[in-house]
Amino acid sequence: MATLERLCLHESVGTKIPQSAFVDAFDGLDVRVELVGDDESYSSMDAVASFEPRPEFLEAGWVHCIRAGYDAFDTDAYEVAGVPLTNSTGIHGETVGELAVGYMLSLARLLHVYRDHQGEREWHDPAYERPFTLSGERLCVVGLGTIGTAIAERADALGMEVVGVRRSEESVPSVSQIYAPSALEDAVADARFVTLAAPHTPETEEMIDAEMLDAMRTDAYLINVARGPLVDEAALVEALEADAIAGAALDVFETEPLPPSSPLWDLENVIVTPHRGSATNRYHLDIAELVRENVRRYRAGESLLNRVA
């Protein structure tokens, strides 16, 4: 049994969610909940939930990163200090899965193009052969964790043929064929949509480069709801401008915010969203539910969910 007297919600959570709503989401928790700033000190009887790392968190008893990506947190330092570090993976399937499907629907049926023309009060009439339905089209999902599996399930429900790329050969519901990462080129070759849902690791860095883009169909679309560095952005721009692929939908980028000088802003066949894949009015509740469960586990001496260090 571990003593836990205080759950500290670091002010950096406001980067993604409303601070006051997050505090309110812990009503009824039998631990003192406080919103804290950078002037706070911690003891082993404190838990911290934060968007950004701080060196002083290593004095706490347990730290939770409210996002799935924990790259900014020094996991080695947490290991050395013996302080558990957890993250928020596993709660983004529904939200990011919906976004990915929304991208595919928009790219297939030109919803974003019609909206652009609406702003100019233009009655846009695309070429007859341009709009298409998702049913019967092939989707390759790269990375079949929580998010990738959720995307696959939703695409399958729309009648798409879904294949996937993952290290394990274990079958995944709604996915007809599994490719090993070493066979990525084969996996993307016949897909109308290639959706990235893999973590950012040294192995996945720029996995979509000029060679991989060249392997894709000329009428294919790239969707990235994972991490920006998975894509060689310069190679992607070159492929888009040369019509080597049909388009892209991107929620993540090499540099965020996406610089105003980026050519991606001006390409009609590209949808740009500002890293908002998980952004719904319930996101703070999803995170709070996970943290609540880990508060219970921490106090009971049980294994913490999503422990990364």
Side-chain angles (χ1 to χ4, degrees), residues 104-281:
M104 289 190 286
L105 285 167
S106 188
L107 291 167
R109 302 302 298 273
L110 296 176
L111 304 183
H112 60 301
V113 176
Y114 296 140
R115 182 68 182 188
D116 288 346
H117 284 278
Q118 178 183 336
E120 301 298 323
R121 298 177 181 268
E122 295 175 352
W123 189 263
H124 182 60
D125 187 15
Y128 176 80
E129 66 275 7
R130 172 56 185 85
F132 62 94
T133 61
L134 295 183
S135 180
E137 297 290 349
R138 190 177 207 193
L139 164 66
C140 175
V141 182
V142 183
L144 288 167
T146 301
I147 292 173
T149 298
I151 294 170
E153 290 172 348
R154 285 158 176 76
D156 179 59
L158 291 171
M160 301 183 76
E161 177 196 359
V162 185
V163 300
V165 178
R166 70 181 310 197
R167 293 196 196 97
S168 170
E169 296 179 0
E170 185 179 352
S171 63
V172 176
S174 304
V175 179
S176 63
Q177 185 175 354
I178 302 290
Y179 291 83
S182 59
L184 178 60
E185 189 169 328
D186 293 333
V188 305
D190 295 324
R192 191 68 181 273
F193 292 93
V194 175
T195 298
L196 306 182
H200 177 209
T201 67
E203 292 72 30
T204 62
E205 178 110 12
E206 293 194 352
M207 66 192 309
I208 302 299
D209 55 12
E211 182 178 351
M212 204 60 62
L213 290 162
D214 188 56
M216 291 171 59
R217 292 164 44 170
T218 56
D219 64 349
Y221 297 86
L222 178 69
I223 293 173
N224 191 2
V225 291
R227 288 291 182 266
L230 271 62
V231 178
D232 180 339
E233 213 162 271
L236 174 61
V237 169
E238 185 176 339
L240 289 164
E241 292 180 336
D243 294 325
I245 64 172
L250 310 167
D251 191 45
V252 290
F253 305 89
E254 288 179 345
T255 300
E256 296 182 4
L258 183 65
S261 59
S262 172
L264 293 169
W265 289 110
D266 299 319
L267 297 174
E268 185 183 71
N269 58 345
V270 176
I271 299 174
V272 170
T273 54
H275 203 155
R276 304 296 287 172
S278 59
T280 73
N281 59 2

